[in-house]
Amino acid sequence: MVDQAEQLRNVIKLNPPPKPHARVITVTSGKGGVGKSNTSINLACQFRKLGKRVIILDADFGLANIEIMFGTVPKHNLCDLIYQGKNITDIITWGPMDIGFISGGSGIAGLSNLSSEYLNYIVRNLAKLDAIADIIIIDTGAGISDAVLDFLVASGEILVVATPEPTSITDSYSLLKALNRHPRFSREDSKIMVIANKVSDLTEGDTMYNKLETVANRYLKLPVSFLGSVPRDRHLEEAVMQQKPVSMQSPNAKSSVAYERIAYILMDKEYNKSLVKRGMAAFFSHIVAGNKKMG
Ligand SMILES: Nc1ncnc2c1ncn2[C@@H]1O[C@H](COP(=O)(O)OP(=O)(O)O)[C@@H](O)[C@H]1O
Ligand SMILES: [Mg+2]
């Protein structure tokens, strides 16, 4: 009997994703409430300003964060693609600034039980995202669950959001440790980047990053890089209340300017020298194949 992971590899071979591939950036954190969803949506706005086509996948299955911040309720989610035979284009909600949004639902958890016919369908559909987006941002749930780790090891770019509180630094380190231990994690294939959020000044952000980098290097031999700090900003809190990204509501607010800078760094050629864009189809096949192997 051909095992399912093998079947999946064949499916992918038969359906090579269209080129060029989208960049897949996965936003995560050791604990909740540190600003992942705000980071995702504001970077999306800033990438749009730079002319990039952006889709956000909300993979925080418990809480539908992004849709609240978008002020729109998506009609469908990833489950409908899988179980209702919807097309990928049917489940994208186009929000402000033409940012595409896909609600994950609880769609990914069920992937390990699907037949290769289904997988073929999903991979073909997800591959279409590579043609309609330059950048796909995945907003994950917090914490070190297997589902989140599966997403992270499949990502070329892992963006860890942390705050200067000692518990946040410890939790970020625990996340990196769990990631480093994951059987499918490869430090050559994934770039780990850090944002310090809710800082009171730049020094606080630098200090936080230095602490995290020191332990990641010393105990895990894991290279990380710093994207910069986002200040604690009253305008951001107000924007959240208005269900708007601060980058749109108050483009000159200090947090908006910080997101702009970070988006700029992420687009920098030199910064991206070693980056391998594998695209969305490869991203998902990595997750599905992994789930199958685990049984
Ligand atoms: N830079 C910031 N300045 C002020 N408040 C912030 C900032 N970033 C996040 N917050 C606050 O923290 C809350 C949680 O942010 P959110 O992006 O939803 O976190 P997560 O997705 O990690 O749970 C937001 O509602 C907002 O009020
Ligand atoms: Mg969130």
Side-chain angles (χ1 to χ4, degrees), residues 29 31-39 60 65 69 139 197-198 230-234 236-237 240 255 259:
S29 68
K31 66 170 202 163
V34 296
K36 288 180 301 297
S37 298
N38 273 283
T39 302
D60 188 352
N65 283 296
M69 263 185 263
D139 182 21
N197 189 28
K198 304 194 201 185
V230 177
R232 180 181 285 284
D233 185 0
R234 183 176 49 81
L236 185 144
E237 287 167 44
V240 169
S255 54
Y259 287 122

Side-chain angles (χ1 to χ4, degrees), residues 164 196-208 226 228-232 254:
N197 189 28
K198 304 194 201 185
V199 303
S200 41
D201 56 48
L202 288 180
T203 315
E204 196 182 39
D206 291 347
T207 307
M208 185 225 85
F226 193 35
S229 293
V230 177
R232 180 181 285 284
K254 52 188 180 178

Side-chain angles (χ1 to χ4, degrees), residues 152-276:
L152 299 183
V153 296
S155 304
E157 298 176 76
I158 299 170
L159 207 169
V160 179
V161 181
T163 66
E165 300 157 62
T167 51
S168 172
I169 302 173
T170 319
D171 290 339
S172 306
Y173 172 70
S174 303
L175 171 77
L176 294 181
K177 195 165 144 190
L179 184 64
N180 196 44
R181 261 204 221 121
H182 194 289
R184 293 197 311 283
F185 176 70
S186 143
R187 61 187 69 197
E188 287 75 36
D189 294 337
S190 297
K191 182 165 186 169
I192 301 171
M193 306 169 289
V194 178
I195 289 181
N197 189 28
K198 304 194 201 185
V199 303
S200 41
D201 56 48
L202 288 180
T203 315
E204 196 182 39
D206 291 347
T207 307
M208 185 225 85
Y209 175 72
N210 287 335
K211 282 185 191 154
L212 187 56
E213 186 193 35
T214 303
V215 287
N217 288 347
R218 185 177 302 160
Y219 301 113
L220 307 173
K221 310 260 180 297
L222 206 56
V224 289
S225 68
F226 193 35
L227 286 175
S229 293
V230 177
R232 180 181 285 284
D233 185 0
R234 183 176 49 81
H235 290 100
L236 185 144
E237 287 167 44
E238 281 163 14
V240 169
M241 297 304 285
Q242 305 279 325
Q243 299 193 298
K244 286 232 179 77
V246 68
S247 299
M248 286 178 67
Q249 172 98 338
S250 313
N252 299 319
K254 52 188 180 178
S255 54
S256 303
V257 173
Y259 287 122
E260 188 174 13
R261 270 199 55 228
I262 291 170
Y264 211 78
I265 296 173
L266 281 165
M267 294 316 299
D268 187 79
K269 278 212 177 59
E270 194 56 29
Y271 193 80
N272 293 325
K273 234 177 17 199
S274 58
L275 212 62
V276 191

